[in-house]
Amino acid sequence: MNRPTASPATLLTIALTALAPISWGTTYAVTTEFLPADRPLFTGLIRALPAGLVLLAAARKLPSGVWWWKAAALGALNIGAFFPLLFLSAYRLPGGLAAVFGSVGPLFVAGLAVLLLGERPTVRTILTGIAAALGVSLVVLKATGALDVIGIAAALAATASMSAGTVLTKRWGRPEGVGPLALTGWQLTAGGLLIAPLALLVEGAPPALDGRAIGGYLYLALANTALAYWLWFRGIGRLAATQVTFLGPLSPLTAAAVGWAALGQSLGPVQLAGMALAFAATVAGQLGPRTKLRERAGASPVGAPGQSAGLPAARRGVRTRAD
């Protein structure tokens, strides 16, 4: 019996959702070329809070009832906890190891989907997740350096945080009459408010900014965060959780491509093979359970991800993810 093919609407949703991790893959290049050095928490704050406030103004809708704590929980998992943990792992782990830990996100999501969504992972899903992690490791993992227990714990916690946020976003859906624009604004604002005191405590006052830095921050806040996260959460509402999270490897692949094209970084045969393997796993991850799109007017997704927020590994050459 022939397997049903995805509808054009499903393919369009996948393509639009994929733009989010592709955008996150540009974060490292923008950070190293345009932004002040060694201010990862400030960068995370500028990405999250202004973008959240812009989306709140556009949506003109605040949470109500239980959605005050649900939005805060999702904002903490997807933004407020994820950003600092990811930066911490990137600073403490050698080479691209933080991105490798991030690439196991599909496996985390598959496990959480069993508990929270009742979705049973297939053998193909597990094998595809392993292939994606292997492909990313071939692309980004460089030689050597001592492993750091705190860095490893932070990397795994970051991946678990984004994965839990993806699955809970799918499970809780959205309140009646609330679109993905408002839901994204709630989460970015809540996450930014959580990062703000941490950034002030750890990094002190904001740095002086020149024109290049202002342009870089505008790109990160608007295109790389507000638009990208809106597309990401919109996709979570319309696709299976595992489908969305299998788009995550597009972020390190984009970072490698940008590094080669714009920053003069080399791509050898091993890296190219890893890119092909990770991309094949991403495509295979979209061939899972049939997607149920909820595109009728008034329909809101209900419960049946991320690598990665695409955070820069600040001067470490690491593609960080689920931005």
Side-chain angles (χ1 to χ4, degrees):
M1 184 172 65
N2 293 332
R3 185 179 184 85
T5 58
S7 69
T10 301
L11 294 176
L12 178 60
T13 298
I14 292 172
L16 289 174
T17 307
L19 293 177
I22 290 173
S23 172
W24 298 334
T26 67
T27 307
Y28 173 71
V30 172
T31 300
T32 56
E33 297 301 308
F34 293 92
L35 304 186
D38 303 323
R39 303 304 295 263
L41 291 175
F42 177 76
T43 297
L45 172 62
I46 293 300
R47 289 185 67 188
L49 189 55
L53 294 175
V54 167
L55 294 184
L56 282 182
R60 294 186 293 179
K61 185 79 172 178
L62 292 176
S64 61
V66 298
W67 272 96
W68 280 106
W69 71 262
K70 285 185 176 182
L74 293 176
L77 290 170
N78 288 318
I79 308 295
F82 175 67
F83 278 21
L85 286 169
L86 195 56
F87 279 124
L88 177 61
S89 67
Y91 274 119
R92 298 186 69 104
L93 293 177
L97 192 56
V100 174
F101 281 111
S103 69
V104 301
L107 299 177
F108 275 63
V109 167
L112 290 170
V114 174
L115 299 175
L116 299 177
L117 304 180
E119 295 179 1
R120 304 183 69 179
T122 64
V123 172
R124 187 180 69 179
T125 296
I126 296 172
L127 292 178
T128 303
I130 294 172
L134 177 60
V136 170
S137 70
L138 292 176
V139 175
V140 302
L141 192 58
K142 311 252 186 219
T144 66
L147 297 182
D148 181 274
V149 174
I150 295 177
I152 292 174
L156 290 174
T159 302
S161 180
M162 185 67 169
S163 299
T166 297
V167 174
L168 282 176
T169 301
K170 183 67 178 179
R171 177 180 174 84
W172 288 340
R174 300 191 301 269
E176 186 70 27
V178 172
L181 193 70
L183 182 64
T184 305
W186 297 350
Q187 294 188 54
L188 288 172
T189 302
L193 290 174
L194 286 174
I195 296 173
L198 182 62
L200 184 62
L201 180 65
V202 174
E203 297 179 352
L209 302 179
D210 59 15
R212 287 174 60 85
I214 292 173
Y217 280 127
L218 284 174
Y219 167 77
L220 290 182
L222 298 178
N224 188 266
T225 302
L227 177 60
Y229 268 101
W230 171 68
L231 290 171
W232 185 253
F233 292 130
R234 176 182 179 273
I236 291 174
R238 298 181 176 214
L239 302 170
T242 49
Q243 282 182 288
V244 175
T245 197
F246 268 116
L247 296 172
L250 292 175
S251 190
L253 297 186
T254 301
V258 171
W260 170 76
L263 304 181
Q265 298 172 356
S266 62
L267 288 175
V270 172
Q271 285 75 34
L272 293 174
M275 292 178 74
L277 179 59
F279 184 75
T282 297
V283 174
Q286 307 312 306
L287 304 178
R290 219 176 189 177
T291 304
K292 296 180 181 179
L293 288 178
R294 296 177 170 266
E295 294 182 331
R296 294 184 179 89
S300 61
V302 295
Q307 193 177 300
S308 100
L311 297 174
R315 307 305 192 271
R316 298 286 299 235
V318 182
R319 195 312 291 173
T320 61
R321 137 187 141 87
D323 145 20

